[in-house]
């Protein structure tokens, strides 16, 4: 067993970064885009300051020469907390278009509920801003082409926030697979299990939540208009009107990792099953979901999310090939190699003695070399990330590098559409009770 050194991991991280290569116009004019040098400060704003938004923004601000100027959110308490976190001079507003009108904002982080991703991101790109958009990129399939078109039309950088695409662990797994370390890939399996209320999106509703402190009409946006509901406002992932269920929240991470490591554009068929097993609190997103996918590269993908796992939270990735396994577990990549024998072996013990001798002689003529590997102990090698490694930080480094160089990131709008489009097949298959077809190249349902 060997550990990957910090220097080797940083080299892998650099290699991973090197891989990155019509809506209504807003009522205000597009802000002029600044030309940014390698040492120029990038001014950013946050749109959607919830749990994820505050968390990733704090990570983004650890990258050198990044400054937060403004925050938009529909809950006053989060705007107050933004000033507590990042300074009283932070501009705050319920209306993100006030932020987009500012010429001093270079890029925005979109961490709204899923049903706002397309509108907020495309409004920002139309206003001349680059965008880091949380996953899943889309809430509906019609969102995907709009993202791609708007980014291209405005020459904007759009990076989707599945941070594992920038992970040095995933870069190592990609390197191992491409080198033939496990032979021909035939199956990928991944799971993400949780067993807590917070893990199942049962987030705390603040005591002051009401229609005065929360901009309910703005939150609803394109969603059905219903009376005020604090649970829907703060626990929006539980309803398909605003979120995309476990497929959009978690499957999409697993798709992003699979596509990055294998180089695939996506599956062609999907079938899923699941349901509400425990969290029967009014939500309509299942808490258990299992799905199978066919890939044109002749491997299958198996995914599972279980919010009622009854054990410690855990996730894992396993790539199975003809000669070995690549496992991503925690902060490690584990390579196990046991190549398939080139010989079938023989079992002649039930034959007559004379026939046994004849069968063995025939076998030895057909397989004269000694290539039998049955019973040989597997070779195992382990690669560990440095202590405290944070792939979200690396993902923001890659995003800001793209903002400066104008080179598109690997997780651009097309990559994001393919990952989210594949993930949402699970919801469609469960809803319709049938196998769903998808063309990963044209990004259209079959």
């Amino acid at each position: 067993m060997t550990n990957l050194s910090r220097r080797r991991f940083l080299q892998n991280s650099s290699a991973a970064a090197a891989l990155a290569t019509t809506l209504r116009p807003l009522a205000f004019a597009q802000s002029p885009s600044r030309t940014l040098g390698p040492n120029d400060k990038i001014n950013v704003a946050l749109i959607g300051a919830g749990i994820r938004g505050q968390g990733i923004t704090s990570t983004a601000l650890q990258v050198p020469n990044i400054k937060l100027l403004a925050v938009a959110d529909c809950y006053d308490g989060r705007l107050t907390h933004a000033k507590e976190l990042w300074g009283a001079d932070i501009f705050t507003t319920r209306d993100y278009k006030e932020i987009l009108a500012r010429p001093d904002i270079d890029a925005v982080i979109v961490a709204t509920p899923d049903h706002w991703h397309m509108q907020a991101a495309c409004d920002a790109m139309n206003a001349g801003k680059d965008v880091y958009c949380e996953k899943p990129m889309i809430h509906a399939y019609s969102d995907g082409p709009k993202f791609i078109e708007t980014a291209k039309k405005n020459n904007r950088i759009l990076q989707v926030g599945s941070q594992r695409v920038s992970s040095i662990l995933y870069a190592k797994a990609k390197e191992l697979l491409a080198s033939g370390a496990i032979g021909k890939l035939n199956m990928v399996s991944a799971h993400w299990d949780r067993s807590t209320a917070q893990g199942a999106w049962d987030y705390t509703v603040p005591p002051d939540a009401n229609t005065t402190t929360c901009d309910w009409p703005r939150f609803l946006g394109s969603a059905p208009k219903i009376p005020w509901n604090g649970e829907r406002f703060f626990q929006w992932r539980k309803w398909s009107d605003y979120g995309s269920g476990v497929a959009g929240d978690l499957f999409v991470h697993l798709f992003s990792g699979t596509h990055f490591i294998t180089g695939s554009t996506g599956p062609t068929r999907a079938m899923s099953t699941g349901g509400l097993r425990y969290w029967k609190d009014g939500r309509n997103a299942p808490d258990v979901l299992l799905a199978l996918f066919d890939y044109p590269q002749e491997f299958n993908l198996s995914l599972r999310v279980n919010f009622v796992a009854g054990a410690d939270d855990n996730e894992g990735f396993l790539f199975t090939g003809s000669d070995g396994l690549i496992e991503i577990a925690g902060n490690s990549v584990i390579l196990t190699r046991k190549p398939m024998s080139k010989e079938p072996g023989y079992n002649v013990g039930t034959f007559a003695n004379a026939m046994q001798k004849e069968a063995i002689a025939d076998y030895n003529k057909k397989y004269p070399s000694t290539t039998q590997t049955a019973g040989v102990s597997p070779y195992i090698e382990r690669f560990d990330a440095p202590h405290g490694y944070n792939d979200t930080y690396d993902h923001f480094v890659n995003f800001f590098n793209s903002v400066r160089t104008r080179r598109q990131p690997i997780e651009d709008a097309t990559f994001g559409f393919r990952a989210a489009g594949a993930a949402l097949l699970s919801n469609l298959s469960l809803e319709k009770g049938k196998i769903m077809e998808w063309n990963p190249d044209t990004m259209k349902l079959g």
Side-chain angles (χ1 to χ4, degrees):
M1 305 280 277
T2 63
N3 290 339
L4 198 61
S5 69
R6 175 178 290 271
R7 178 178 299 175
R8 179 80 176 279
F9 255 123
L10 292 175
Q11 290 171 346
N12 283 341
S13 184
S14 298
L19 290 170
T21 57
T22 37
L23 297 174
R24 297 186 314 274
L26 295 178
F28 43 82
Q30 186 185 72
S31 301
S33 300
R34 294 198 299 152
T35 300
L36 295 165
N39 297 316
D40 287 337
K41 190 179 295 294
I42 296 176
N43 295 325
V44 301
L46 170 62
I47 300 175
I51 299 170
R52 185 65 180 164
Q54 291 187 23
I56 62 175
T57 299
S58 294
T59 300
L61 295 177
Q62 295 173 24
V63 180
N65 288 328
I66 306 301
K67 181 175 178 60
L68 180 70
L69 297 185
V71 174
D73 197 85
C74 292
Y75 169 48
D76 292 346
R78 286 175 175 156
L79 298 179
T80 299
H81 193 49
K83 290 179 177 291
E84 295 169 346
L85 285 173
W86 299 307
D89 59 337
I90 296 292
F91 174 75
T92 60
T93 177
R94 289 180 171 186
D95 184 359
Y96 69 74
K97 290 186 178 181
E98 292 186 34
I99 288 174
L100 301 186
R102 292 178 52 154
D104 57 345
I105 301 292
D106 301 305
V108 299
I109 298 169
V110 175
T112 64
D114 298 354
H115 74 300
W116 265 106
H117 282 181
M118 184 274 293
Q119 191 65 55
C122 289
D123 282 349
M125 289 187 285
N126 280 329
K129 315 303 182 187
D130 295 320
V131 176
Y132 180 106
C133 182
E134 260 303 297
K135 53 75 196 165
M137 189 184 83
I138 65 170
H139 184 240
Y141 281 96
S142 58
D143 294 347
K146 294 176 182 176
F147 264 98
I148 295 171
E149 175 191 347
T150 306
K152 183 177 181 180
K153 178 183 68 177
N154 293 287
N155 191 28
R156 291 297 90 200
I157 299 299
L158 183 285
Q159 176 169 289
V160 182
S162 288
Q163 66 273 12
R164 287 160 182 77
V165 170
S166 293
S167 168
I168 53 180
L169 291 169
Y170 283 60
K172 184 61 185 178
K174 181 180 181 71
E175 173 194 317
L176 290 171
L177 182 64
S179 73
I182 62 171
K184 180 172 173 50
L185 180 70
N186 57 66
M187 187 171 183
V188 181
S189 56
H191 71 276
W192 203 320
D193 291 343
R194 295 175 174 177
S195 59
T196 65
Q198 293 292 301
W201 312 320
D202 213 1
Y203 307 134
T204 302
V205 178
D208 70 343
N210 56 53
T211 54
T212 298
T213 60
C214 300
D215 192 336
W216 179 241
R218 190 182 302 276
F219 167 87
L220 288 176
S222 61
K225 303 304 182 279
I226 62 172
W228 160 253
N229 186 303
E231 287 74 24
R232 284 182 175 247
F233 188 102
F234 289 96
Q235 302 171 358
W236 54 266
R237 289 192 186 278
K238 292 159 46 171
W239 288 276
S240 58
D241 288 339
Y242 329 107
S244 310
V246 298
D249 186 26
L250 301 176
F251 274 12
V252 71
H253 274 309
L254 307 177
F255 275 108
S256 297
T258 297
H259 296 175
F260 173 73
I261 291 169
T262 66
S264 174
T265 56
T268 55
R269 298 200 317 157
M271 58 210 82
S272 64
T273 188
L276 274 168
R277 312 303 188 204
Y278 180 84
W279 296 101
K280 300 178 181 180
D281 52 7
R283 70 180 70 196
N284 61 11
D287 51 20
V288 173
L289 188 65
L290 303 94
L292 302 173
F293 304 86
D294 294 340
Y295 275 75
Q297 291 77 23
E298 298 184 337
F299 69 85
N300 287 88
L301 173 66
S302 169
L303 299 181
R304 180 191 83 228
V305 167
N306 187 347
F307 281 175
V308 202
D312 290 338
D313 293 5
N314 66 90
E315 61 177 289
F317 239 129
L318 187 64
F319 294 79
T320 302
S322 56
D323 294 340
L325 307 172
I326 298 171
E327 181 182 6
I328 303 175
N331 285 322
S332 301
V333 175
I334 303 166
L335 169 65
T336 304
R337 296 193 72 246
K338 187 176 180 182
M340 292 277 290
S341 173
K342 306 303 181 184
E343 303 178 22
Y346 56 79
N347 186 342
V348 299
T350 60
F351 303 166
N353 289 341
M355 188 54 63
Q356 291 185 34
K357 292 179 181 179
E358 182 178 342
I360 292 173
D362 288 345
Y363 182 90
N364 289 334
K365 289 178 182 178
K366 190 172 182 181
Y367 302 100
S369 61
T370 56
T371 57
Q372 185 74 10
T373 58
V376 176
S377 297
Y379 165 82
I380 300 174
E381 192 170 8
R382 182 186 184 103
F383 308 89
D384 295 324
H387 179 71
Y389 175 69
N390 184 348
D391 52 11
T392 299
Y393 177 87
D394 274 1
H395 206 41
F396 272 109
V397 168
N398 289 341
F399 171 61
F400 294 129
N401 283 343
S402 290
V403 170
R404 287 191 169 95
T405 64
R406 310 315 296 168
R407 289 196 295 266
Q408 291 294 322
I410 188 171
E411 197 172 10
D412 62 8
T414 299
F415 187 107
F417 188 16
R418 285 173 171 154
L424 297 189
L425 288 179
S426 311
N427 291 342
L428 279 179
S429 177
L430 183 64
E431 175 188 336
K432 296 180 180 296
K434 66 178 186 179
I435 294 173
M436 298 302 301
E437 307 283 342
W438 166 256
N439 186 320
D441 295 321
T442 63
M443 295 167 282
K444 293 181 179 179
L445 292 169

